[in-house]
């Protein structure tokens, strides 16, 4: 059947492209594989160029498949073809153009595609540059791509689903097959649900979400390359040579993955309202861990490069980093973190496949590693105590331990699956939950590691090859003195006296100054040589910034309402509209709210005390001047829930971070419908009563409009009354009122009369028999109370050090990469 | 003793230490009954909102009081001294971290699991009711 308006051929094309990329990867793995298991010597002697050419062609077809897949998916998103399940679930018509990219990788299928794409591009760089390493690395890469492409296949073998295709049409979903509406040729026009999609998760409608995922996935993809080199080295027994071509890749990965992780932090800080850039959330942790092990790998590779010894640990770590990326993919995508993470992904039913992906590479690489373990060269002698290599090794080990600890705590849900009460091997009687206070847990364990790393980073540049300890101490003295003095000045200035914090502050300041000193004094501030020093001092700044901004993060908003001694005053300040509320050191006032697209924006004005001396005499409030204004907002999204988004004022030395923690989100009309508890009054003609302490109600006359009696019994059967009154407002304005009362048989109808201008309404309840006074019920609108919001505000001191540090770290790592590429290019030219 | 063995020992010691700290810091998934017994220990309870019971949010003091049912179906009053999370009523499951105090569970953190976008009622529902809809003009 031909469906009207459906882009069925595009869907077919998309699936064919996925199949092409899958098949291309398979064929490439086959042809490159044929070469890998010939010894390099034999390859050199009798090169079979046709095999390599075939491998490259196959990889080319694979690349074509990947590019085609991207093209079709973009076309579908761009043109809003909502018959595509992926498009319908992740985008909508009102989507701003720049977020089409975010829609692209919001779903799991899209993020696998992103990963696939970066691998494909890096694969071509390898083909162009890896020379003799091309066979092994491309063989491995093709297998990785085979697994990734299979995630997008979306084919069924009986009940087993292999992959999830982004090109499935909604009518083809298993739950829809056979339903009556799928029989309509014009179902797209008939069913209103197809006219618009579900839209992008409001949290992801942020510019950081346009650049964070591609950066992070480029980082993940570059972790694969050292792994490929390591596996090739093991298979081809080139245990130390691999380090030279793999080093630039490793530090490229360090730079990009590190930036990607911190961009995630920046997004959390800018767009989420949990109040910070890092929350030790499992999803954040699992992208940090591979970075830590990759940094360790890179440093161990330097040792191997300089000493040509003991490559075993290095090879193992390069493999481990990649496996940890796969593990983190499994953690975040399998839904296993459901209870413990705010970022839970939707389970696509690919758990088995993800586990197979992880299992294949874990078992496969371990087999290769232990198969070669015996023939791995051992180091003949131990490194001297004062050698750079020894301390670099200790540093790498510390990073590994730090990564191990984070993995351990993040994996608690996995332990539950394995040894929990409902797990495979029920050893525990209760399910373990993640630490209740995650920040305290991780900080207590990670700060000591960070202190060791910082000290090693500080000593690193001065530990020249084979030098005496005295020379080292002489060189480091200057930066040591500066940092000790500065530590005490800062700790005193900020009142930061926790022993661990002071130790970390001192150690990271030492690392900063030692590397700055080394770069300026010994390297004469040369950019090309300064990569290492810059990266290290950048990382030290990241630590300093993270430490100060977290340890001295201060809530300036407090709720003064006393509830109970068990509840300490919380961090939500009550802001009635128009009031000026003290929030030391500022005064704040909520000016009003407005709609801006989907966002309900709250304008909050911050004031400073202008002249402290004058205000000391006659009160601060008389001497306020506007300091700045912030616009925290709530993104209204009926489908996926409203999201509170922060607004932050950046100063050079601190950030003021605010978000609206509570607001009445009903529209004006709904809010108008609210009446307060009514009040009752009774009065006679000529009497006056106060209403709501604001109005004076005067009883004028009671008019009998009409009355009828039953002629037989003489009983009253029909009575129509009108009570005439006058309402006087505070400003002297008077309002005449006529309240009706109708008795007809046994039914009474006495409608309320509303005074729109005043926001009150009145009802005449009849004459109270005994005194002959008139009963009145009066209501006042709730909206007459000033509306209010609750807001939280925090000061993050010196958080800019963190961002500055991460930029320097990125630049430094890239400089180191550039230096290595430059050197190998010039060596190649000789 | 060789230096490498010392390092190895140190590594093993640190790992064991980290494992112990993790076990100590990890809270357990409990039920309200367990939490009541173990008060004032901090526990994590997976529960659902009881929408039949009144929910009270004192906006001025930002105190939220509601009733939740744990996995065993035991109901408990929960007090949360924070603003009501957005779309709280729509949550499918809530993970409460906190402790018991007398007759109420005092939550310090609430993690909500919201219904997946698919089953949200608005989509292309699987029961074919859309066959009744009028063709678009």
């Amino acid at each position: 059947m031909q469906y009207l308006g459906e882009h069925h051929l595009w869907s077919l094309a998309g699936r064919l492209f996925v199949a092409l990329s899958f098949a291309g990867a398979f064929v490439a793995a086959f042809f490159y594989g044929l070469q890998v298991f010939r010894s390099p010597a034999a390859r050199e002697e009798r090169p079979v160029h046709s095999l390599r050419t075939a491998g490259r062609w196959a990889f080319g077809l694979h690349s074509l498949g990947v590019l085609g897949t991207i093209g079709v998916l973009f076309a579908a998103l761009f043109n809003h073809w909502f018959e595509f399940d992926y498009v319908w679930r992740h985008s909508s018509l009102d989507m701003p153009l720049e977020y089409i990219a975010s829609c692209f990788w919001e779903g799991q299928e899209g993020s696998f595609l992103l990963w696939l794409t970066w691998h494909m591009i890096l694969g071509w760089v390898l083909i162009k540059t890896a020379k003799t390493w091309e066979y092994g690395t491309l063989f491995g890469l093709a297998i990785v791509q085979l697994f990734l492409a299979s995630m997008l296949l979306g084919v069924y073998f009986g009940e087993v689903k292999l992959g999830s295709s982004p090109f499935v049409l909604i009518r083809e979903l298993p739950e829809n097959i056979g339903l009556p509406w799928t029989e309509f040729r014009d179902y797209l026009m008939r069913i209103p649900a197809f006219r618009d999609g579900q839209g992008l998760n409001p949290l992801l409608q942020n510019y950081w979400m346009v650049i964070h995922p591609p950066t992070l996935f480029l980082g993940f993809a570059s972790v694969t390359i050292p792994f490929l080199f390591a596996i090739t080295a093991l298979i081809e027994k080139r245990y130390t040579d691999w380090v030279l071509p793999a080093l630039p890749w490793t530090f490229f990965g360090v730079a990009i993955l590190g930036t990607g992780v911190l961009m995630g932090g920046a997004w959390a800080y800018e767009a989420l309202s949990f109040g910070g850039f890092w929350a030790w959330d499992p999803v954040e942790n699992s992208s940090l861990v591979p970075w830590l092990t990759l940094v360790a790998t890179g440093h161990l590779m330097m040792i191997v490069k300089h000493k040509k010894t003991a490559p075993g640990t290095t090879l193992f770590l390069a493999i481990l980093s990649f496996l940890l990326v796969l593990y983190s993919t499994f953690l975040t995508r399998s839904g296993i973190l459901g209870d413990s993470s705010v970022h839970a992904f939707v389970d696509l039913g690919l758990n088995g496949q993800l586990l197979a992906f992880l299992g294949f590479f874990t078992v496969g690489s371990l087999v290769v590693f232990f198969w070669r373990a015996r023939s791995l060269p051992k180091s003949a002698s131990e490194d001297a105590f004062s050698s750079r290599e020894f301390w670099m090794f200790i540093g790498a080990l510390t990073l590994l331990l730090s990564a191990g600890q984070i993995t351990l705590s993040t994996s608690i849900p996995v332990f539950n699956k394995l040894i929990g009460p409902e797990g495979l091997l029920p050893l525990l009687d209760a399910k373990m939950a993640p630490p209740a206070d995650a920040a305290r847990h991780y900080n207590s364990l990670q700060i000591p590691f960070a202190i060791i790393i910082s000290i090693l980073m500080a000593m690193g540049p001065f530990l020249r090859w084979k030098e005496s300890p005295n020379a080292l101490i002489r060189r480091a003295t200057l930066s040591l003195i500066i940092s000790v003095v500065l530590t005490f000045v800062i700790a005193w200035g900020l009142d930061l006296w926790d022993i661990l914090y002071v130790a970390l502050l001192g150690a990271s300041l030492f690392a900063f100054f030692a590397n700055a000193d080394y770069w300026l004094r010994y390297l004469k501030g040369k950019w090309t040589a300064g990569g290492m020093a810059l990266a290290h001092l950048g990382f030290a700044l990241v630590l300093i910034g993270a430490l100060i901004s977290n340890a001295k993060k201060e809530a300036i908003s407090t709720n003064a309402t006393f509830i109970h001694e068990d509840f300490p005053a919380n961090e939500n300040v009550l802001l009635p509209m128009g009031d000026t509320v003290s929030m030391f050191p500022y005064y704040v006032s909520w000016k009003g709210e407005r709609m801006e697209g989907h966002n309900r924006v709250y304008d909050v004005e911050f004031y400073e005390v202008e002249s402290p001396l004058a205000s000391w005499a006659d009160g601060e409030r008389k001497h306020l001047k506007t300091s700045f204004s912030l616009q925290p907002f709530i993104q209204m999204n009926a489908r996926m829930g409203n999201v509170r988004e922060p607004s932050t004022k950046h100063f050079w030395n601190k950030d003021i971070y605010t978000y609206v923690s509570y607001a009445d989100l009903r529209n004006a009309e709904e809010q108008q419908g609210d009446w307060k508890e009514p009040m009752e009054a009774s009065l006679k003609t000529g009497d006056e009563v106060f209403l709501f302490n604001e109005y004076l109600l005067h009883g004028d006359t009671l008019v009998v409009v009409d009355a009828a009696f039953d002629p037989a019994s003489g009983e009253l059967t029909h009575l129509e009354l009108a009570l005439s009154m006058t309402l006087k407002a505070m400003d002297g304005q008077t309002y005449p009122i006529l309240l009706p009362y109708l008795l007809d048989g046994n039914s009474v109808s006495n409608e309320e009369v509303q005074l729109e201008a005043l926001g009150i309404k009145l009802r005449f309840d009849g004459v109270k028999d005994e005194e002959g006074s008139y009963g009145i019920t009066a209501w006042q609108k709730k909206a007459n109370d000033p509306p209010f919001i609750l807001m939280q505000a925090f000061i993050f001191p010196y958080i800019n050090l963190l961002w500055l540090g991460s930029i320097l770290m990125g630049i430094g790592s890239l400089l180191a990469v550039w230096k290595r590429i430059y050197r190998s290019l010039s060596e190649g030219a000789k | 003793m060789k230096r490498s063995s010392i390092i190895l020992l140190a590594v093993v010691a640190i790992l064991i230490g980290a494992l112990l700290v993790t076990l100590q810091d990890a809270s357990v998934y409990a039920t309200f009954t367990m939490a009541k017994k173990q008060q004032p220990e901090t526990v994590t309870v997976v529960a659902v909102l009881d929408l039949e019971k009144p929910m009270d949010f004192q906006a001025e003091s930002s105190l939220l009081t509601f009733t939740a049912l744990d996995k065993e179906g035991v109901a408990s009053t929960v007090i949360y001294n924070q603003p009501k999370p957005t779309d709280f009523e729509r949550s499918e499951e809530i993970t409460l971290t906190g402790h018991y105090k007398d007759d109420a569970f005092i939550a310090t953190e609430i993690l909500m699991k919201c219904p997946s976008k698919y089953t949200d009622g608005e989509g292309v529902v699987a029961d074919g009711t859309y066959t009744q809809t009028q063709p678009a003009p």
Side-chain angles (χ1 to χ4, degrees):
Chain A
M1 180 162 53
Q2 187 75 44
Y3 288 97
L4 287 178
E6 194 181 63
H7 300 84
H8 180 251
L9 282 178
W10 283 87
S11 159
L12 195 68
R15 281 182 250 208
L16 283 177
F17 278 125
V18 175
L20 180 66
S21 76
F22 182 78
F26 184 81
V27 177
F30 175 75
F31 283 116
Y32 278 117
L34 286 180
Q35 296 272 46
V36 170
F37 293 97
R38 299 174 72 207
S39 73
R43 267 199 323 242
E44 207 126 299
E45 258 171 49
R46 290 174 286 105
V48 190
H49 286 303
S50 57
L51 281 182
R52 194 179 67 180
T53 313
R56 286 182 177 180
W57 270 98
F59 196 74
L61 287 178
H62 163 75
S63 312
L64 188 69
V66 174
L67 291 175
T69 311
I70 299 170
V72 175
L73 190 55
F74 257 117
L77 282 166
F78 199 78
N79 295 314
H80 305 295
W81 295 336
F82 293 121
E83 65 268 33
F84 284 73
D85 182 48
Y86 195 85
V87 179
W88 186 80
R89 267 191 294 154
H90 300 292
S91 72
S92 59
L93 287 175
D94 57 0
M95 186 73 38
L97 198 61
E98 63 266 33
Y99 295 137
I100 292 282
S102 310
C103 302
F104 183 89
W105 44 70
E106 189 201 29
Q108 294 209 25
E109 297 91 337
S111 60
F112 280 125
L113 185 54
L114 189 59
W115 200 359
L116 206 59
T117 311
W118 283 125
H119 273 156
M120 183 270 283
I121 293 170
L122 298 187
W124 282 105
V125 180
L126 281 176
I127 288 176
K128 291 284 165 215
T129 60
K131 300 188 181 84
T132 56
W133 294 93
E134 182 186 334
Y135 307 104
T137 52
L138 260 291
F139 168 62
L141 187 64
I143 296 176
V144 176
Q145 294 291 76
L146 196 64
F147 273 93
L148 282 177
S150 78
M151 300 284 176
L152 300 178
L153 278 177
V155 288
Y156 286 83
F157 296 100
E159 288 294 294
V160 183
K161 181 183 173 195
L162 190 68
S164 168
S165 172
F167 302 111
V168 166
L169 302 180
I170 292 177
R171 69 171 164 82
E172 296 170 332
L173 291 172
E175 63 264 33
N176 291 342
I177 283 175
L179 290 182
W181 64 262
T182 60
E183 304 290 317
F184 292 112
R185 285 188 65 218
D186 55 350
Y187 79 98
L188 280 176
M189 285 114 228
R190 239 177 222 247
I191 301 177
F194 284 105
R195 266 173 237 151
D196 200 356
Q198 291 287 75
L200 180 66
N201 186 332
L203 286 175
L204 305 183
Q205 301 191 21
N206 181 286
Y207 56 92
W208 285 111
M209 267 298 134
V210 182
I211 55 172
H212 160 66
T215 314
L216 192 69
F217 275 96
L218 177 57
F220 282 158
S222 35
V223 179
T224 313
I225 312 297
F227 161 78
L228 298 173
F229 273 103
I231 291 290
T232 313
L234 285 167
I235 294 176
E236 299 182 355
K237 295 192 183 173
R238 299 157 84 183
Y239 300 128
T240 50
D241 302 352
W242 70 284
V243 167
L244 212 56
L247 248 181
W249 286 106
T250 309
F251 282 103
F252 177 73
V254 167
I256 302 296
L257 187 57
T259 312
V261 170
L262 283 163
M263 275 180 179
W267 165 68
Y269 185 61
E270 291 283 318
L272 302 186
S273 54
F274 68 70
F277 55 89
W278 196 261
W280 295 107
D281 184 272
V283 173
E284 297 168 344
N285 290 351
S286 53
S287 59
L288 174 67
V289 165
W291 182 79
L292 289 172
T293 55
L294 192 68
V295 174
T297 312
H299 286 80
L300 287 182
M301 283 164 81
M302 311 262 283
I303 306 178
V304 176
K305 186 184 150 214
H306 290 298
K307 305 269 285 204
K308 307 267 177 211
T309 50
T313 329
T314 316
L315 288 163
F316 187 77
L317 269 187
I319 293 169
L320 185 70
S321 300
F322 174 69
L323 295 181
L324 283 169
V325 168
L326 294 188
Y327 181 62
S328 109
T329 308
F330 171 72
L331 275 186
T332 48
R333 269 137 226 284
S334 64
I336 201 166
L337 295 175
D339 286 343
S340 58
S341 170
V342 280
H343 302 68
F345 279 82
V346 186
D347 182 358
L348 278 188
L350 297 181
N351 286 4
Q353 211 175 336
L354 282 166
L355 212 54
F357 189 15
L358 176 64
F360 175 84
F361 282 98
T362 312
V363 174
S365 7
L366 287 182
V367 165
V368 172
F369 187 79
F370 287 107
W371 170 45
R372 293 297 194 208
R374 277 163 179 271
S375 65
L376 281 172
K378 305 272 181 303
S379 64
S381 63
E382 292 201 326
D383 289 324
F385 223 38
S386 60
S387 76
R388 191 172 183 165
E389 284 77 16
F390 175 73
W391 292 107
M392 226 138 117
F393 180 77
I394 296 292
L397 209 59
T398 314
L399 286 170
L400 194 61
L401 282 170
S402 148
Q405 189 275 317
I406 300 174
T407 308
L408 196 72
S409 297
T410 311
S411 301
I412 284 176
V414 180
F415 298 148
N416 280 330
K417 279 265 186 282
L418 295 175
I419 56 169
E422 290 144 36
L424 294 174
L425 187 71
L427 291 177
L428 305 171
D429 8 303
K431 262 172 88 180
M432 277 201 289
D437 188 349
R440 199 190 57 81
H441 168 73
Y442 286 102
N443 288 347
S444 69
L445 289 159
Q446 290 297 320
I447 288 179
F449 289 130
I451 294 171
I452 299 174
I453 295 290
S454 298
I455 295 173
L456 292 174
M457 281 198 310
M459 294 184 349
F462 299 113
L463 285 164
R464 291 270 181 93
W465 277 250
K466 310 271 188 295
E467 268 207 70
S468 67
N470 287 341
L472 162 76
I473 293 166
R474 227 179 20 249
R475 288 206 170 103
T477 314
L478 178 66
S479 30
L480 189 60
I481 292 172
I482 296 179
S483 48
V484 167
V485 171
L486 210 57
T487 303
F488 282 101
V489 171
I490 293 176
W492 179 75
L494 293 174
D495 193 24
L496 183 87
W497 289 115
D498 182 285
I499 179 79
L500 268 183
Y501 289 167
V502 175
L504 179 58
L505 181 66
S508 44
L509 280 171
F510 184 30
F512 175 80
F513 285 109
N515 282 285
D517 180 33
Y518 176 72
W519 182 44
L520 294 174
R521 209 147 45 117
Y522 296 92
L523 299 177
K524 310 274 183 271
K526 264 186 278 181
W527 285 99
T528 44
M532 182 269 286
L534 265 183
H536 282 172
L537 71 85
F539 186 61
L541 271 186
V542 169
L543 289 176
I544 298 170
L547 172 72
I548 297 180
S549 65
N550 263 319
K552 297 312 286 180
K553 168 184 170 185
E554 188 194 349
I556 52 175
S557 55
T558 48
N559 193 314
T561 317
F562 178 80
I563 309 159
H564 188 263
E565 58 196 22
D566 280 344
F567 299 108
N570 66 31
E571 291 155 353
N572 302 282
V573 68
L574 179 74
L575 296 179
M577 191 184 277
D579 270 14
T580 305
V581 175
S582 164
M583 203 166 76
F584 186 78
Y586 299 101
Y587 280 86
V588 284
S589 175
W590 172 40
K591 291 296 182 195
E593 64 186 346
R594 59 198 151 89
M595 287 302 290
E596 218 172 70
H598 292 295
N599 299 333
R600 205 174 178 124
V601 181
Y602 297 84
D603 291 295
V604 180
E605 199 78 9
F606 279 67
Y607 305 97
E608 272 175 312
V609 180
E610 197 171 15
S611 51
L613 266 183
S615 56
W616 184 68
D618 57 357
E620 288 185 335
R621 279 169 197 262
K622 289 187 183 162
H623 297 273
L624 293 181
K625 65 160 190 208
T626 305
S627 178
F628 56 92
S629 56
L630 286 175
Q631 289 81 35
F633 60 96
I634 295 181
Q635 201 179 128
M636 306 297 285
N637 192 312
R639 287 200 197 104
M640 278 170 241
N642 307 323
V643 178
R644 312 185 277 222
E645 300 215 19
S647 173
T648 306
K649 175 74 187 171
H650 303 277
F651 292 102
W652 72 271
N653 61 347
K654 67 182 173 198
D655 278 7
I656 315 291
Y657 168 100
T658 59
Y659 71 93
V660 171
S661 55
Y662 177 83
D664 191 347
L665 292 178
R666 293 170 308 167
N667 58 36
E669 216 164 87
E670 284 170 323
Q671 288 178 17
Q672 289 287 312
D674 269 10
W675 298 92
K676 286 197 274 201
E677 285 289 300
M679 70 173 283
E680 286 177 13
S682 60
L683 74 171
K684 290 182 202 156
T685 301
D687 281 358
E688 283 187 336
V689 289
F690 265 112
L691 286 184
F692 312 114
N693 294 326
E694 274 180 70
Y695 308 105
L696 200 60
L697 186 65
H698 181 265
D700 297 341
T701 52
L702 182 65
V703 182
V704 180
V705 180
D706 191 19
F709 296 90
D710 186 356
S713 63
E715 263 180 53
L716 190 68
T717 55
H718 180 85
L719 178 69
E720 216 177 317
L721 299 174
L723 178 63
S724 155
M725 294 189 294
T726 313
L727 190 78
K728 204 173 180 184
M730 302 260 265
D731 54 6
Q733 189 89 24
T734 55
Y735 302 86
I737 308 167
L738 208 60
L739 297 178
Y741 186 94
L742 177 76
L743 178 85
D744 203 5
N746 286 326
S747 70
V748 173
S749 100
N750 50 345
E751 275 175 21
E752 297 138 7
V753 171
Q754 193 165 335
L755 285 159
E756 289 287 351
L758 302 178
I760 61 172
K761 64 178 180 180
L762 298 161
R763 190 181 66 198
F764 176 35
D765 295 328
V767 179
K768 298 200 171 164
D769 291 331
E770 270 139 57
E771 305 108 36
S773 55
Y774 326 127
I776 305 284
T777 308
W779 290 263
Q780 190 177 27
K781 270 180 184 166
K782 264 190 182 162
N784 284 12
D785 278 350
F788 66 90
I789 54 171
L790 294 177
M791 189 182 80
Q792 296 201 359
F794 298 95
I795 295 185
F796 286 95
Y798 298 101
I799 193 165
N800 279 338
L801 290 180
L802 173 81
W803 309 125
L804 177 69
S806 47
I807 293 167
L808 287 177
M809 186 167 73
I811 293 176
S813 312
L814 289 178
L815 277 176
V817 176
W818 167 244
K819 195 177 88 177
R820 281 177 209 293
I821 294 172
Y822 182 77
R823 206 181 275 165
S824 64
L825 282 180
S826 52
E827 271 166 22
K830 271 176 210 162
Chain B
M1 214 186 205
K2 269 174 71 182
R3 201 191 301 142
S4 52
S5 344
I6 299 174
I7 294 172
L8 199 70
L9 268 179
V11 168
V12 172
I14 293 173
L15 272 184
I16 291 173
L19 191 66
L20 288 178
V21 173
T22 305
L23 286 178
Q24 199 192 349
D25 282 0
S27 53
V28 286
Y29 283 109
T31 57
F32 284 130
T33 323
M34 282 160 72
K36 210 168 190 169
K37 248 183 254 161
Q38 293 167 354
Q39 62 175 299
E41 197 185 314
T42 299
V43 293
T44 306
V45 181
V46 179
V48 288
L49 258 182
D50 186 353
L51 288 172
E52 316 249 296
K53 298 276 164 54
M55 180 187 308
D56 177 52
F57 177 54
Q58 298 279 332
E60 284 87 349
S61 52
S62 80
L63 189 75
L64 178 67
T65 314
F66 59 94
T67 306
L69 297 168
D70 68 9
K71 291 224 159 146
E72 287 177 345
V74 177
S76 167
T77 305
V78 181
I79 300 175
Y80 181 53
N81 184 21
Q82 286 294 327
K84 185 161 88 174
T86 36
D87 299 307
F88 192 51
E89 288 88 348
R90 282 170 71 186
S91 69
E92 192 165 73
E93 196 178 84
I94 46 178
T95 307
L96 307 164
T97 307
H99 63 277
Y100 233 90
K101 169 100 187 180
D102 303 327
D103 282 325
F105 186 82
I106 296 173
T108 48
E109 201 188 315
I110 295 183
L111 210 67
M112 298 195 304
K113 199 187 250 177
C114 283
S116 76
K117 301 167 215 165
Y118 244 140
T119 51
D120 217 15
E122 206 187 322
V124 181
V125 189
D127 62 5
T129 44
Y130 279 114
T131 52
Q132 304 299 319
T133 31
Q134 293 298 311

